[in-house]
Amino acid sequence: MNLLFVFADQWRAGAMGYANEDPVLTPLMDRFCSESTYCDHAFSTFPVCSPHRASLMTGKYPLSAGFFTNCKRGLPLRLGDDEICVGQVLKEAGYDTAYIGKWHLDEPEQNHCEEPKSGARDWDAYTPPGVRRHGFDYWYSYGTYDMHLSPHYWQDTDEMIKVNKWSPEHETDKAIEYLSEKRDKSKPFALYMSWNPPHSVYSEVPEEYLNLYDKVKLKSNVCLRDIHHHTGENALMTEEEMTLTTKQYYAAVSGLDKQFGRLIDYLKENNLYDDTLVILSADHGDMMGSHGLMGKHVWYEESIRIPFVVHMPGNDNKKCSTCIGSQDMMPTVLGLLNCPIPDTVEGEDCSRFIKGEEDEDRVSFICASPGRADFVEKFKKAGKNPAAYGWRGVRTKRYTYVLELGYDVICKPKRYLYDILKDPEQKNLLDLEIEENKELAKKLEAEVIGWMKRQKDSFLDNWLKEVDNE
């Protein structure tokens, strides 16, 4: 069986018509959902680009794979050469492997050279052929670059390929070219495709998709007072500006819908659809003003809950509500393809849940750490490890529970408990002074602590120390 794994950047689960949450137009994706298994409890374990991607590739928790933040300028952070990734496993299993689009798992070239030959700047990087591509043979990619209307790429040399076309459309062109002309048709194919939109810059979207929207209604939990990113950066907007930004976000998703439809049409027209495992997903969501926040990096549903839709030929199960996290996706793909799962994997093969079995008690652990450059420098001066701070939590089928130390070297521990079933927009924290909630929090905290112990996460030492000092 072939594999097509398509994932967008900063695309929250609610921003698809089939989810029946945000007023976004995605008729082609909706049709795909109706033909597939729709997973409504899929979560980004560490809702930031590089950490999720590291999990997606390795099947490890992000911190285990060495990721406490994005690959960025000034940090010697990249996916380790010794990591066993899904591309390597699939290649060894006889697949023709390919990667198209945003990678963001390599160290920025400007960390080592002010003017790299490739032209990569800031957080961007050209990843040369070899171990750093982790088993993907066909390569048409870049590190990270957010000019969606004028993207660039590299293939097998450091010569930058500049394009004047919306990046998802161009990448879909290249995917269809790969499927029709470039792959070894004597082998099954495994294509991972990473679209950057609807990630900011939000205005970088073609007019044809903006024209699909007239008025856009903001979610009822949007708050425009002192709007900012959870990591502290200001993102002040008027209601008019927030409405336009939301319209642009939805428009980008509608554009992805058209491109995804092109891929599905190609598979169907070439008799490949019924022999291809197709997965549609994202790396994390976007707050879009909910709770006064923009971007990601926080435990709210808009940030952690992501699409995960699985078309498995011959599988009639239409819905999966078992909790699935980033680290589970690699072993689940391998399980669905009947490929061996490496011993290095920490996630779980959830293929049986995709096929109809349910586990009401399965949970997804979630986390984030301070990774902004000034945060990292502040922790360094204090002789502390930023990866051991931030927040840790758990998302059960019904509840979200979070332990927070924050992004400062001086921290005050906080606990948060939400009932997602009764309060899906998380407008009301549960009162932890009420005995029933206190007991639930105690149980969930024990689960988070058990997870941190298994992960040897030094956040736990800092948490216990701070709690003892309360």
Side-chain angles (χ1 to χ4, degrees), residues 445-459:
E445 187 159 329
E447 289 206 48
V448 178
I449 286 174
W451 171 60
M452 288 192 285
K453 285 180 178 177
R454 293 191 297 275
Q455 292 296 305
K456 298 179 174 57
D457 185 350
S458 48
F459 179 100

Side-chain angles (χ1 to χ4, degrees), residues 132-156:
R132 289 164 88 153
R133 293 187 179 181
H134 290 276
F136 291 107
D137 287 330
Y138 178 86
W139 188 265
Y140 193 84
S141 183
Y142 60 98
T144 178
Y145 183 72
D146 295 327
M147 296 294 101
H148 311 317
L149 293 172
S150 53
H152 64 237
Y153 306 88
W154 293 276
Q155 284 195 281
D156 295 333

Side-chain angles (χ1 to χ4, degrees), residues 210-342:
L210 277 171
N211 291 339
L212 296 173
Y213 295 88
D214 183 13
K215 295 181 180 178
V216 167
K217 185 178 179 181
L218 302 178
K219 286 186 73 168
S220 64
N221 65 358
V222 168
C223 176
L224 297 174
R225 186 175 63 253
D226 300 323
I227 192 167
H228 61 285
H229 291 261
H230 187 248
T231 45
E233 302 92 330
N234 285 331
L236 297 178
M237 286 191 226
T238 63
E239 183 173 356
E240 183 179 17
E241 289 168 333
M242 186 73 250
T243 300
L244 175 59
T245 299
T246 304
K247 175 180 174 180
Q248 291 164 340
Y249 183 81
Y250 293 167
V253 176
S254 291
L256 298 185
D257 181 68
K258 181 177 179 179
Q259 304 313 315
F260 186 71
R262 291 176 62 206
L263 291 171
I264 298 301
D265 285 348
Y266 177 86
L267 294 179
K268 290 182 176 180
E269 289 164 5
N270 289 274
N271 299 315
L272 292 167
Y273 188 63
D274 291 332
D275 194 31
T276 302
L277 172 64
V278 183
I279 297 178
L280 178 63
S281 190
D283 57 4
H284 54 75
D286 195 317
M287 293 304 296
M288 278 286 123
S290 293
H291 305 284
L293 297 170
M294 289 297 292
K296 56 271 188 181
H297 215 283
V298 67
W299 52 80
Y300 291 116
E301 291 288 280
E302 291 86 354
S303 172
I304 65 169
R305 194 161 63 86
I306 54 177
F308 195 66
V309 188
V310 181
H311 170 74
M312 173 72 179
N315 181 33
D316 295 327
N317 183 42
K318 294 301 181 186
K319 187 177 179 182
C320 171
S321 293
T322 296
C323 292
I324 297 174
S326 305
Q327 67 286 338
D328 302 318
M329 295 176 183
M330 181 260 219
T332 298
V333 165
L334 296 177
L336 290 169
L337 294 174
N338 295 313
C339 290
I341 297 171

Side-chain angles (χ1 to χ4, degrees), residues 19-211:
N20 204 25
E21 294 180 36
D22 296 340
V24 62
L25 303 172
T26 55
L28 304 178
M29 289 176 179
D30 297 348
R31 184 179 67 190
F32 173 74
C33 291
S34 70
E35 300 171 350
S36 308
T37 306
Y38 180 76
C39 302
D40 60 2
H41 280 68
F43 304 101
S44 182
T45 299
F46 190 133
V48 182
C49 295
S50 298
H52 169 87
R53 290 160 186 266
S55 272
L56 180 68
M57 291 295 139
T58 65
K60 290 183 174 182
Y61 282 97
L63 292 170
S64 294
F67 282 80
F68 73 97
T69 187
N70 276 324
C71 298
K72 61 180 69 176
R73 194 169 181 190
L75 279 180
L77 178 61
R78 66 178 174 89
L79 192 60
D81 292 349
D82 58 347
E83 294 289 357
I84 300 172
C85 295
V86 67
Q88 290 149 283
V89 178
L90 292 170
K91 182 177 179 179
E92 289 174 8
Y95 280 82
D96 192 78
T97 57
Y99 194 95
I100 295 174
K102 179 176 177 176
W103 179 240
H104 207 181
L105 285 171
D106 208 345
E107 186 178 356
E109 289 188 77
Q110 283 195 310
N111 280 359
H112 303 283
C113 175
E114 191 60 35
E115 294 191 10
K117 283 178 62 180
S118 67
R121 295 293 183 268
D122 201 17
W123 292 13
D124 202 4
Y126 158 61
T127 299
V131 293
R132 289 164 88 153
R133 293 187 179 181
H134 290 276
F136 291 107
D137 287 330
Y138 178 86
W139 188 265
Y140 193 84
S141 183
Y142 60 98
T144 178
Y145 183 72
D146 295 327
M147 296 294 101
H148 311 317
L149 293 172
S150 53
H152 64 237
Y153 306 88
W154 293 276
Q155 284 195 281
D156 295 333
T157 73
D158 58 11
E159 183 178 353
M160 182 185 287
I161 302 165
K162 296 182 179 180
V163 178
N164 288 312
K165 183 182 276 191
W166 194 50
S167 58
E169 182 178 356
H170 177 65
E171 289 155 21
T172 303
D173 292 343
K174 298 303 290 187
I176 291 172
E177 178 187 72
Y178 162 76
L179 292 171
S180 61
E181 302 173 20
K182 303 294 185 182
R183 66 185 173 95
D184 181 348
K185 293 185 180 180
S186 69
K187 300 178 180 179
F189 65 81
L191 168 59
Y192 274 73
M193 186 163 178
S194 176
W195 289 322
N196 200 350
H199 189 288
S200 55
V201 177
Y202 304 110
S203 60
E204 293 265 323
V205 61
E207 284 292 326
E208 66 175 292
Y209 306 121
L210 277 171
N211 291 339

